Amino acid sequence: MAWRQRPAWANTPAERRIVAVPARARLAGADHPATDVWSYDGMVPGPLVRLRQGEPARLIIENRLNQETTVHWHGIRLPNPMDGVPGLTQPPIKPGESFAYEFTPSDAGTFWYHPHANSLEQLGRGLAGAVIVEEREPVAVDRDLLWLLADWRLNAQGEIAAGFGNRMEAAMSGRVGNTVTLNGSVSKEVPMRAGERVRLRLVNGSLARIMALRFEGHRPVVVAVDGQPCEPHEPKGGRILLGPAMRIDVALDLQGEPGRRYRVVDDFYEGLAYWVTELAYDERPPIRTHPLETPLSLPRNPLPEPDLADAERHELTLQGGMMGGGGMAGMGGMMGGGMMGGMMGMGGGAAWAINGMSMTGDGHAGMEPALTFLRGRSVVLKLRNETAWWHPMHLHGHSMLVLSRNGASVPHRQWQDTVLMAPRDTVEVAFVADNPGDWMLHCHVMDHQMSGLMTVLRVA
Ligand code: C2O
Ligand code: CU
Ligand code: CU
């Protein structure tokens, strides 16, 4: 059979200008009032940035907000000066100014972009978009879909609720909202055709909401995590666990019945399940009579393989937060009178720390690295979550091979830039420190990052 041909946009030059600017967006759907947002190019989410593996890109960000910003190309292994961390890798982009990000993506896959300045509020008001880096050869699927999922806290008037940086929330689950959008609006259905094989790229662009997606009547196969292809596998219990900033590509063979609808349910928070959308099959007969037999597999990216026998080993312990977590701030979870964990080095509004040190904010000049690696060294990091809360831990500039979780080895060769840790989890990851510069390592629950769950690793 003939696979879809490479579409026309493949030949467009990889240079584009993106404007960060206030706008209005219909988050709840066309029949609801619009919300004031901060946007890229007037859209929520921002424009999809399509790049090609191994081809240079130039992305010019123009700041028409009334505050400083930067853009971080989350998950893309790029030169340090292009990483978008204010103070650490570049001066912030002042209102009225522009900055040109130039890099050549070495890895194909699903990535995203967002500000790294005043991140909690800028991301929470809508500044985010997806990046797709295309493989050199087209991948054999009938359709390639992207769902950028985002969580918003709207008030009764449909506006974004104030109160960013609430200290109580920062020490608990972070700012979890009340409205989940799919590609910028609440979704009732996504049209599907029976028999198709779809590559579905899931992006969790939320500030704090963790998702666990189930596809009723379907068996999604995970083919990539955080942009990096893995061994194709069905997720445990059929549930796709997606922490903030994570991406998962699934292959979805549409074996449902023509004319039927199937819910996509997020049941991560106990008692608070809701459906994200429905797969709405049209009436047409299946496009193929038998399901495809070979699983979809993606070409490997050129990631350096860590030498585990000769690796440096370090431990990073996540500390702080309210005791006795598990509930969810602001959504009716019962909060028994919690206490901040007593810890050293947590002054100035910090609620969290890594190895006893709290770096707060979004990044600034003079952040001293917690660890320094010689370029080319293999590194094994043991991340220990001593807290009662979940943390999606993100490393800039590298992709990490997840070796083990709580002593059990992690199968399917999953390379990740963001590793979701449950309360008390211990996770071992490995990577080659091959990208010179100072790189952030932080929790991607934005309130957690802002209030101390951040550090810097240096590759010298
Ligand atoms: Cu997606 Cu430092 O962040
Ligand atoms: Cu990043
Ligand atoms: Cu966290």
Side-chain angles (χ1 to χ4, degrees):
M1 70 157 306
W3 296 104
R4 196 180 56 136
Q5 293 304 296
R6 177 168 284 282
W9 41 252
N11 296 320
T12 56
E15 164 163 334
R16 72 181 299 166
R17 174 174 287 269
I18 297 173
V19 183
V21 63
R24 309 254 304 151
R26 298 204 178 267
L27 302 175
D31 47 346
H32 286 77
T35 303
D36 284 314
V37 296
W38 296 349
S39 78
Y40 292 118
D41 284 357
M43 299 153 57
V44 163
L48 170 59
V49 173
R50 288 217 179 244
L51 305 175
R52 295 195 62 187
Q53 186 174 20
E55 294 184 13
R58 183 175 152 86
L59 299 154
I60 303 151
I61 301 295
E62 185 184 326
N63 182 6
R64 281 196 224 145
L65 305 171
N66 63 9
Q67 59 183 257
E68 295 178 340
T69 193
T70 62
V71 171
H72 172 59
W73 308 92
H74 182 119
I76 298 182
R77 298 187 295 139
L78 41 61
N80 192 259
M82 299 294 126
D83 197 41
V85 181
L88 197 68
T89 72
Q90 70 168 97
I93 312 169
K94 295 205 174 68
E97 294 185 350
S98 300
F99 186 91
Y101 292 91
E102 293 179 328
F103 55 88
T104 301
S106 52
D107 303 330
T110 308
F111 304 95
W112 68 301
Y113 62 103
H114 63 78
H116 222 286
N118 191 18
S119 319
L120 172 62
E121 185 170 7
Q122 292 192 10
L123 179 59
R125 292 194 181 276
L127 286 165
V131 181
I132 291 179
V133 181
E134 288 175 53
E135 290 79 12
R136 292 194 169 85
E137 300 298 328
V139 167
V141 291
D142 298 306
R143 278 197 297 155
D144 190 322
L145 294 182
L146 171 87
W147 291 2
L148 197 157
L149 304 171
D151 178 42
W152 309 77
R153 184 178 295 175
L154 302 181
N155 64 20
Q157 289 71 48
E159 293 297 340
I160 293 171
F164 287 96
N166 174 307
R167 299 188 49 178
M168 182 82 153
E169 265 173 11
M172 301 197 285
S173 63
R175 182 176 159 116
V176 177
N178 52 19
T179 304
V180 172
T181 56
L182 188 163
N183 296 342
S185 61
V186 171
S187 175
K188 295 212 166 53
E189 61 175 50
V190 177
M192 294 288 163
R193 168 91 195 261
E196 280 182 324
R197 170 170 284 182
V198 171
R199 175 183 188 170
L200 174 58
R201 303 170 188 259
L202 300 164
V203 183
N204 185 349
S206 303
L207 291 176
R209 181 184 287 277
I210 302 167
M211 298 176 180
L213 302 179
R214 282 188 300 108
F215 288 72
E216 285 181 1
H218 292 76
R219 299 177 68 178
V221 173
V222 176
V223 294
V225 183
D226 288 350
Q228 303 295 349
C230 60
E231 292 167 5
H233 63 279
E234 290 189 28
K236 234 191 232 146
R239 250 165 136 238
I240 298 165
L241 202 53
L242 204 60
M246 286 180 63
R247 291 87 62 213
I248 290 189
D249 291 23
V250 296
L252 204 53
D253 284 318
L254 296 177
Q255 297 302 314
E257 285 170 39
R260 270 198 63 180
R261 306 169 73 89
Y262 301 86
R263 286 192 170 171
V264 180
V265 175
D266 171 9
D267 62 3
F268 180 78
Y269 299 102
E270 217 186 307
L272 295 168
Y274 66 99
W275 47 286
V276 173
T277 190
E278 282 186 328
L279 309 181
Y281 280 66
D282 62 31
E283 300 285 351
R284 289 176 294 170
I287 63 162
R288 44 174 80 76
T289 40
H290 296 291
L292 294 167
E293 272 169 22
T294 43
L296 175 65
S297 82
L298 301 172
R300 231 199 93 117
N301 282 321
L303 288 165
E305 191 68 32
D307 178 355
L308 297 182
D310 185 41
E312 281 182 41
R313 289 170 186 266
H314 300 274
E315 222 172 275
L316 294 173
T317 302
L318 319 182
Q319 301 152 318
M322 293 284 205
M323 318 266 276
M328 192 164 63
M331 285 197 65
M334 276 296 293
M335 294 299 151
M339 294 253 315
M340 295 286 189
M343 17 186 322
M344 305 176 345
M346 273 200 352
W352 306 91
I354 297 177
N355 287 1
M357 279 291 304
S358 302
M359 284 187 190
T360 56
D362 299 280
H364 45 80
M367 294 178 114
E368 276 306 308
L371 299 169
T372 299
F373 310 117
L374 285 181
R375 187 175 177 183
R377 284 292 284 163
S378 290
V379 177
V380 172
L381 290 183
K382 184 184 269 192
L383 302 168
R384 295 198 318 120
N385 179 6
E386 273 188 353
T387 81
W389 301 89
W390 291 74
H391 304 289
M393 296 304 297
H394 170 51
L395 174 62
H396 288 211
H398 298 80
S399 197
M400 308 172 280
L401 178 62
V402 184
L403 300 176
S404 73
R405 190 178 291 267
N406 302 324
S409 73
V410 171
H412 317 305
R413 292 193 56 81
Q414 303 189 56
W415 293 83
Q416 300 181 212
D417 56 63
T418 307
V419 179
L420 183 61
M421 302 187 67
R424 316 287 172 204
D425 262 4
T426 296
V427 174
E428 277 185 308
V429 298
F431 61 96
V432 178
D434 63 345
N435 198 353
D438 284 352
W439 302 103
M440 286 277 177
L441 171 83
H442 63 83
C443 177
H444 223 287
V445 169
M446 297 315 301
D447 316 70
H448 292 180
Q449 176 204 305
M450 303 295 281
S451 57
L453 208 41
M454 174 162 67
T455 192
V456 171
L457 305 185
R458 176 171 293 167
V459 180

